[in-house]
Amino acid sequence: MADIEAPVLGEYQIIPKIKLGTMAGSMPYIAKPDIQAGVGFPKELVPDWENVAVKKLGEMVSESRALQVFLDSCVKCGACTDKCHYYLGTSDPKNMPVARQDLLRSVYRRYYTFAGKHFPKLVGARDMTKDVLDEWYNYFHQCSQCRRCSVFCPYGIDTAEISMAAREIMDTVGQGQKYCNEVLIKLHSIGNNLGLPGPALANTLEGLEEDVKDDTGVDVKYPVDVKGAEVLLVTPSADFFAEPHVDGLIGYGKVFHAAGTSWTLSSHASEAGNFGMFIGSNKDLHKVARRIREAALELGVKRIIVGECGHAWRVAYSFWNSIIGPFDFLDQRYPIPQHICEFTYDLIQRKALKFDKSANDDKVVTFHDSCNVARASRMGNMPGGQFIIPRAVVRASVNKFFDMAPETIYESTYCCGGGGGLLTDELLDLRIKGTAPRMQAFKEVVEEHGVTHIAAICAICKAQFTKVLPYYKFPMDTIQSVHGLVSKAIRLGAVNE
Amino acid sequence: MSAVTVIYALLFYVATAILVIGVARKIYIYARAPQPLKIPTTPAPTTRLGVAARMVREVTVFESLFKANKWTWLFGWIFHFCLFVELIWHLRYFTEPVLAFLPWMQWFINFTGYGMVLGLLGLWGRRFLVDRVRYISGPSDHLMLALLVAIGASGLAMKFLVHTDIVALKAFFIGLMTLNWQRMPADPLLLIHLTLVALLMIIFPVSKLLHAPGVFFSPTRNQVDNPREQRWVAGWTAKLDNTKAAGN
Ligand code: SF4
Ligand code: SF4
């Protein structure tokens, strides 16, 4: 455990007074030239980068209604100022959503608005300088693109969109982020974030089959590249071996087994995550997602189901149809794509699954709504299904369930602190501080209801919590996959009934 | 025709032209800019009708702001509501005969001027008292509030302290609209009030007042949450062609 002080949690969440510059030194490693080149970005700051950046900004704004409206409309009302977990955890005023937007808005104003061109001081317009660029680099990498601010802004201004745009500009001028770009290289060349090649994947899955057989006595299959399967499952690659992710994958397999649905993973599209979104690159967003379309066509599946991953579900639910659709080759009777929780929930509704909840009686569980699922997607056919359905799946698997405080869940959920391409060790200090509001809410249910575990449906949340929970004196296995709970409770075959 | 009349006549023609053309231009830009992806802040309505209802709640009761901060909501709502009523009320200087419902507002209008200024002072107070809001407030934010307070205060002064010749004023504005210029009553308070209003109209299209048209175009609020049901493409997503052979 690195030597970092976690914030001390109090009785309840407070809104801290601003403290200038507390996080001015926080930044991820800058991508080395070969990494930049690997994703097709300039190797280092290009000559005349100031103008390149300004021009890129202008183009992006003209191609995005969101940017156009968001950059013009902010009235500095301050409603968003206490909504960001990074502000609450660090007290750095530049982590207030409006202040973060202003880092970019100030440049936009200087070059693209009448007021900023002629009265820069009056409206806080700034020239594009290296200091500004570095400030962007620091603070646009202190935004997990969680959209919590956009819930509360009277104009729906979404700082995530601004962060994505700023990162795209930084990549374009040659100052990209190492972690995200490295992951993208692996994704583009191998097909998943971890760089796990096809044969290794097949091996891992075989191992899983043996483990499950030992555990349950049932031959649950974890197939890969099976042509003609009904379902293509696309899941975050962390599900293949990280804890507690893999318990989730085991759970998906058991649910498919119980449902009698044939399914397969794909070694070509062995990743649901899409870091193209984090860096705001349309090109990469599309290129990463396209592997999934290719795999679905190649394998001839009828349906695509997505595993537990927050931003992946946003990309799948909200963007896939736009960027890799139309899906006329899939079975139109099912949602395209479908979330694994929707799939399991349907079976539960139809009483097609058997559970022994007492298998989870060692746990008192709460559910952490992951940002991208909560505020950027849906499940089921009614608004808010993304809150109801995963909870229903958890409740079908456990006896003891308690929600955290209402202002910290559902659409107001607090980010785990590690989303948006920030899940890298050099940002650990930020990640620990940023998770403080979530830990605060968790601590309250621990004290009030004796909650022992947090269930989540996001690979990043799971990895982040595993890492940061110990700093708050909670065991790392406090965090569970929803389908890990399902896996424990579900009864398969005669022996287990 | 006095110099004052000529100056104010021209001022209002210019201010109106800038306001109308400036805002129309912005609306055109917003409407034309593509929104390539679906990004409604969810949970979001799944039908157009639902979106319309969300938008109505957003612009009438400031739903999101209410969730965010009760004080800002309270002051903000009072200000906007009173401003709205005052704007309607001011139509009586531009319509002959006056719109039928205007006389009913007579009673109410005694409060709205105060409400406007009170709301503004509340919002302004936050810019000094709340450290976070102080940090994000720039000179233009304070000036904007000063301008609006001055407009409200000068209006109140004319209503309750030093009455102005509103019959002549009405003749002046109707004259402007019918291109048949009439004398402008040159009361100092009125001149101040009108100058400030013209100034507000002029800076509207280049200031944060663009939030008024902007909110209607905000994709996080005006998009229908139906990406699975209905394929959405615009801008760069409309240019993609996935039906080509795989791997290109
Ligand atoms: S998107 Fe989330 S992390 Fe980014 S500024 Fe808004 S609240 Fe903070
Ligand atoms: S809530 Fe919206 S309008 Fe208000 S300060 Fe924040 S971004 Fe600006």
Side-chain angles (χ1 to χ4, degrees):
Chain A
M1 230 164 92
D3 194 18
I4 297 172
E5 279 289 326
V8 181
L9 303 180
E11 281 296 300
Y12 48 85
Q13 180 69 51
I14 53 141
I15 300 164
K17 292 265 169 249
I18 62 173
K19 282 200 214 81
L20 296 183
T22 58
M23 296 304 277
S26 172
M27 59 181 273
Y29 297 136
I30 295 178
K32 294 258 161 47
D34 53 321
I35 293 174
Q36 282 289 98
V39 205
F41 295 126
K43 294 187 173 172
E44 52 199 26
L45 264 195
V46 295
D48 194 32
W49 64 269
E50 294 93 338
N51 285 317
V52 177
V54 168
K55 187 161 161 277
K56 178 78 185 167
L57 172 61
E59 282 167 18
M60 293 179 72
V61 171
S62 69
E63 286 160 18
S64 160
R65 182 182 295 160
L67 287 178
Q68 185 86 59
V69 170
F70 294 167
L71 289 172
D72 278 350
S73 298
C74 174
V75 297
K76 310 291 153 76
C77 70
C80 61
T81 55
D82 56 351
K83 301 300 182 272
C84 179
H85 52 288
Y86 290 120
Y87 173 70
L88 295 174
T90 68
S91 310
D92 189 322
K94 287 186 180 141
N95 277 330
M96 301 188 297
V98 43
R100 195 185 316 284
Q101 297 157 23
D102 275 350
L103 300 177
L104 185 121
R105 185 179 285 116
S106 56
V107 174
Y108 168 74
R109 285 206 165 142
R110 183 75 184 101
Y111 297 93
Y112 294 104
T113 68
F114 175 87
K117 281 180 196 163
H118 303 286
F119 310 98
K121 287 261 151 47
L122 209 58
V123 295
R126 300 188 298 177
D127 289 327
M128 186 76 229
T129 63
K130 186 67 169 74
D131 285 345
V132 169
L133 185 74
D134 288 340
E135 202 175 32
W136 282 15
Y137 193 79
N138 291 8
Y139 287 99
F140 286 119
H141 290 111
Q142 297 186 41
C143 170
S144 57
Q145 305 176 345
C146 76
R147 311 188 93 204
R148 192 167 193 268
C149 44
S150 87
V151 170
F152 297 99
C153 173
Y155 319 111
I157 297 175
D158 180 7
T159 317
E161 290 291 314
I162 312 250
S163 286
M164 291 169 193
R167 292 186 192 178
E168 164 77 344
I169 295 170
M170 291 189 281
D171 270 325
T172 306
V173 300
Q175 185 160 323
Q177 185 219 24
K178 173 171 177 267
Y179 167 65
C180 281
N181 289 354
E182 263 178 1
V183 163
L184 275 165
I185 290 176
K186 283 184 259 177
L187 248 169
H188 289 325
S189 57
I190 301 170
N192 58 61
N193 289 357
L194 299 171
L196 187 71
L201 175 59
N203 254 332
T204 310
L205 295 170
E206 247 168 63
L208 280 188
E209 288 178 356
E210 283 161 26
D211 292 350
V212 175
K213 172 92 181 173
D214 289 348
D215 253 21
T216 64
V218 181
D219 280 312
V220 178
K221 292 282 167 234
Y222 291 86
V224 60
D225 294 333
V226 176
K227 286 204 177 188
E230 158 116 359
V231 170
L232 168 64
L233 177 79
V234 186
T235 204
S237 54
D239 281 6
F240 299 132
F241 55 80
E243 277 292 345
H245 308 61
V246 67
D247 306 330
L249 175 60
I250 292 174
Y252 317 152
K254 289 184 182 177
V255 172
F256 284 124
H257 179 93
T261 306
S262 72
W263 66 290
T264 184
L265 290 154
S266 155
S267 59
H268 179 65
S270 45
E271 176 65 61
N274 192 329
F275 276 39
M277 178 173 84
F278 292 159
I279 64 166
S281 162
N282 300 337
K283 178 178 73 55
D284 290 282
L285 179 72
H286 179 230
K287 197 169 156 192
V288 170
R290 202 173 45 191
R291 297 181 80 97
I292 292 154
R293 181 185 172 93
E294 289 159 5
L297 282 166
E298 164 74 18
L299 296 169
V301 296
K302 298 271 173 300
R303 309 164 63 177
I304 306 179
I305 293 184
V306 180
E308 298 183 0
C309 181
H311 83 282
W313 181 239
R314 176 181 195 185
V315 173
Y317 171 87
S318 292
F319 301 165
W320 272 3
N321 207 358
S322 300
I323 61 178
I324 57 166
F327 291 113
D328 38 17
F329 57 93
L330 295 174
D331 189 337
Q332 304 296 315
R333 290 173 303 167
Y334 299 97
I336 308 169
Q338 191 172 27
H339 194 281
I340 186 70
C341 284
E342 291 179 303
F343 180 75
T344 305
Y345 177 75
D346 270 355
L347 293 166
I348 294 171
Q349 296 298 94
R350 302 204 322 257
K351 308 228 182 312
L353 300 178
K354 286 198 196 72
F355 289 98
D356 174 11
K357 296 187 189 188
S358 67
N360 282 313
D361 271 353
D362 55 331
K363 306 182 187 73
V364 184
V365 180
T366 191
F367 180 72
H368 163 77
D369 291 287
S370 298
C371 318
N372 276 298
V373 177
R375 291 185 281 259
S377 79
R378 171 163 57 103
M379 287 183 204
N381 48 21
M382 67 291 195
Q386 68 268 40
F387 311 128
I388 296 159
I389 288 174
R391 280 179 175 75
V393 173
V394 172
R395 280 169 174 275
S397 315
V398 308
N399 275 314
K400 292 170 273 185
F401 179 87
F402 295 95
D403 259 324
M404 290 180 275
E407 67 277 12
T408 72
I409 56 172
Y410 284 43
E411 67 174 357
S412 305
T413 187
Y414 279 116
C415 174
C416 65
L422 308 182
L423 195 70
T424 172
D425 279 348
E426 71 269 24
L427 294 179
L428 192 57
D429 178 45
L430 173 78
R431 288 164 50 193
I432 290 171
K433 290 173 174 154
T435 201
R438 173 42 81 220
M439 288 298 123
Q440 177 73 44
F442 178 59
K443 172 179 166 251
E444 287 167 27
V445 284
V446 168
E447 285 167 1
E448 207 171 314
H449 302 293
V451 169
T452 59
H453 290 84
I454 310 173
I457 46 170
C458 171
I460 291 178
C461 294
K462 293 173 199 172
Q464 157 77 352
F465 282 138
T466 305
K467 186 92 179 188
V468 299
L469 276 160
Y471 289 91
Y472 290 89
K473 314 271 181 300
F474 296 115
M476 33 197 271
D477 64 2
T478 299
I479 175 70
Q480 300 277 314
S481 294
V482 164
H483 276 80
L485 299 172
V486 170
S487 172
K488 266 267 162 63
I490 196 169
R491 297 296 98 172
L492 303 172
V495 274
N496 288 289
E497 275 170 24
Chain B
M1 194 129 313
S2 72
V4 172
T5 302
V6 175
I7 291 171
Y8 276 81
L10 294 178
L11 178 63
F12 271 89
Y13 282 138
V14 170
T16 308
I18 291 179
L19 176 70
V20 171
I21 295 170
V23 173
R25 178 178 156 271
K26 268 293 173 187
I27 289 178
Y28 175 73
I29 290 172
Y30 293 157
R32 209 195 36 177
Q35 177 52 42
L37 295 168
K38 280 274 186 171
I39 60 165
T41 308
T42 59
T46 53
T47 60
R48 278 243 70 93
L49 196 67
V51 163
R54 180 185 207 178
M55 195 56 87
V56 166
R57 293 197 303 275
E58 208 59 270
V59 300
T60 56
V61 297
F62 302 176
E63 180 179 43
S64 298
L65 187 56
F66 185 77
K67 287 182 199 164
N69 189 303
K70 300 293 184 277
W71 285 112
T72 310
W73 176 83
L74 184 69
F75 292 130
W77 191 83
I78 291 178
F79 160 65
H80 281 88
F81 178 73
C82 293
L83 174 68
F84 176 71
V85 174
E86 285 287 345
L87 282 175
I88 305 239
W89 179 243
H90 278 67
L91 286 177
R92 69 191 177 129
Y93 302 117
F94 303 89
T95 52
E96 184 59 52
V98 295
L99 301 173
F101 62 89
L102 282 177
W104 306 344
M105 294 166 68
Q106 187 83 45
W107 172 82
F108 197 57
I109 213 73
N110 285 322
F111 307 101
T112 46
Y114 290 116
M116 223 181 102
V117 173
L118 176 95
L120 287 166
L121 292 179
L123 291 172
W124 209 350
R126 288 183 58 75
R127 295 211 183 276
F128 291 103
L129 298 175
V130 181
D131 64 338
R132 302 186 309 281
V133 189
R134 195 185 321 135
Y135 177 88
I136 58 166
S137 300
S140 58
D141 302 308
H142 289 288
L143 287 175
M144 187 64 77
L145 282 162
L147 177 61
L148 288 164
V149 168
I151 290 173
S154 53
L156 278 174
M158 280 184 288
K159 185 163 181 70
F160 295 108
L161 296 177
V162 193
H163 295 285
T164 196
D165 184 353
I166 54 172
V167 177
L169 176 68
K170 177 161 183 167
F172 169 75
F173 275 115
I174 302 253
L176 279 190
M177 287 160 49
T178 52
L179 300 179
N180 168 24
W181 292 11
Q182 302 295 320
R183 184 186 64 86
M184 159 91 185
D187 297 347
L189 267 179
L190 179 64
L191 296 187
I192 292 173
H193 188 69
L194 292 182
T195 310
L196 297 176
V197 169
L199 185 61
L200 187 73
M201 291 163 73
I202 289 168
I203 60 177
F204 195 108
V206 295
S207 72
K208 65 177 183 178
L209 300 181
L210 284 172
H211 69 277
V215 61
F216 294 99
F217 289 94
S218 178
T220 57
R221 293 292 179 272
N222 77 6
Q223 283 191 319
V224 182
D225 177 26
N226 61 353
R228 291 193 290 196
E229 292 80 4
Q230 205 168 337
R231 183 154 190 252
W232 170 270
V233 291
W236 70 269
T237 53
K239 295 193 193 100
L240 299 172
D241 182 4
N242 295 307
T243 53
K244 282 182 290 186
N248 46 14

